[in-house]
Amino acid sequence: VRYAYYPGCSLHAGAKEYDISWRAICEVLGIELVEMENWSCCGTVHATNPMRFTVNCT
Amino acid sequence: MMGSERRRLAAMGESETLVDLDLEFREEIRSRVEGLDPGYCFQCGVCSGSCPTMARMTYGPRKIMHMIHLGMAERVLQSQDIWYCVSCFSCAARCPQGIEIGDVMSCLRNMAVARGMAVDKEATFSRIFVKVLQEHGRMYEPEVLLRYYASVRDVDAMVKIAPLGVRMFLKSKIGLLPQRISNAGELGEIAARIDRGEAE
């Protein structure tokens, strides 16, 4: 089975242990993870609002 | 103001007068947040009990909901609490009335920005976070922190957090350089379009 994989910034940095565990689990389960090319940050609290971006706080 | 409302304010340790109350405030939130009218909050407090950042907040979601209801716009919008919300949505998931409290919080952040009332340093943090994001397309914490502490001129705090950065670097949780995506500029363009109201 192949799945597209979006790790997000944290799984490449501060929480990389989750990335390591997840990849290990998927290998055992026979799941192939294909990391999306050129993915961008999800924006977490600071940029994702249901209505508007908090972003433009200038 | 009804006597009972005045007593409730007194119970919250506040001394708002009628002049400070903005009764349009809750109407605006009601019109901007989907789902149940926040006025249906019956103050059970499960939201504040579930909130992971409650310890850092001044009021917490339960009191914020009450203050919205009373029209204490200025105090709510200038509060640090709306910036301490991490959008985990535990409050909304557990709310027995099914009010979208997390959405109310982001609505409040947007209103604070729109009214020029986002004075808390947490608002500065969010602004810098998003700037870095728009430049690289991905998060790079060391840059966010350096720019944040520089802008709030808090060298002490920066020095205090530095050992954590070193420990993370040694565990390769922080890279020497930011990761960049090839078309980060498009993020800024998307944000600008949303800001112009082209894609709400």
Side-chain angles (χ1 to χ4, degrees):
Chain A
V1 219
R2 296 177 85 212
Y3 274 102
Y5 180 42
Y6 173 83
C9 306
S10 293
L11 266 63
H12 269 213
K16 73 189 305 174
E17 62 272 21
Y18 288 110
D19 184 64
I20 295 167
S21 313
W22 177 234
R23 287 178 190 278
I25 290 164
C26 287
E27 203 180 322
V28 172
L29 296 175
I31 296 168
E32 186 191 345
L33 295 174
V34 184
E35 187 166 321
M36 294 165 68
E37 274 177 36
N38 215 29
W39 54 265
S40 63
C41 175
C42 71
T44 174
V45 193
H46 307 285
T48 51
N49 274 326
M51 293 149 292
R52 288 180 99 222
F53 272 5
T54 304
V55 186
N56 303 294
C57 349
T58 39
Chain B
M1 181 163 42
M2 301 294 290
S4 60
E5 277 199 17
R6 199 172 282 134
R7 275 198 299 280
R8 278 207 299 254
L9 283 176
M12 289 170 73
E14 308 295 356
S15 55
E16 232 78 355
T17 61
L18 189 59
V19 184
D20 298 316
L21 300 178
D22 171 4
L23 296 179
E24 301 294 312
F25 185 47
R26 62 189 183 204
E27 295 304 326
E28 185 173 347
I29 292 164
R30 185 183 302 182
S31 69
R32 292 172 61 147
V33 178
E34 285 178 25
L36 194 66
D37 177 355
Y40 280 84
C41 167
F42 52 48
Q43 292 286 297
C44 71
V46 165
C47 48
S48 291
S50 307
C51 181
T53 52
M54 181 65 200
R56 287 173 174 269
M57 291 185 175
T58 309
Y59 308 109
R62 180 187 68 81
K63 283 187 182 172
I64 293 283
M65 295 300 285
H66 194 190
M67 289 157 84
I68 289 170
H69 194 62
L70 294 175
M72 296 162 77
E74 205 174 308
R75 194 161 294 216
V76 168
L77 294 178
Q78 287 182 348
S79 141
Q80 58 175 6
D81 294 17
I82 59 179
W83 298 97
Y84 275 131
C85 166
V86 292
S87 298
C88 74
F89 300 103
S90 297
C91 50
R94 293 176 178 170
C95 176
Q97 294 288 68
I99 298 167
E100 294 296 343
I101 303 164
D103 291 354
V104 170
M105 289 292 180
S106 42
C107 174
L108 292 171
R109 287 194 289 272
N110 286 323
M111 287 171 76
V113 170
R115 296 191 188 184
M117 292 167 95
V119 290
D120 194 82
K121 58 183 174 36
E122 294 300 318
T124 307
F125 184 87
S126 282
R127 194 151 48 223
I128 292 168
F129 187 102
V130 171
K131 265 189 202 144
V132 169
L133 239 180
Q134 288 183 345
E135 284 164 24
H136 304 315
R138 289 186 191 168
M139 191 27 55
Y140 188 55
E141 287 90 349
E143 185 177 340
V144 173
L145 290 176
L146 283 175
R147 285 169 68 167
Y148 168 70
Y149 288 124
S151 84
V152 297
R153 294 185 170 74
D154 192 347
V155 180
D156 288 352
M158 186 157 67
V159 170
K160 215 169 144 190
I161 205 167
L164 177 66
V166 172
R167 285 208 304 280
M168 289 179 74
F169 178 74
L170 292 176
K171 290 192 171 185
S172 59
K173 288 186 163 210
I174 293 178
L176 267 183
L177 290 169
Q179 296 183 4
R180 286 169 190 275
I181 63 172
S182 63
N183 49 355
E186 288 178 17
L187 284 176
E189 178 53 26
I190 292 168
R193 284 177 63 184
I194 292 173
D195 197 39
R196 289 196 300 267
E198 287 171 28
E200 287 228 0

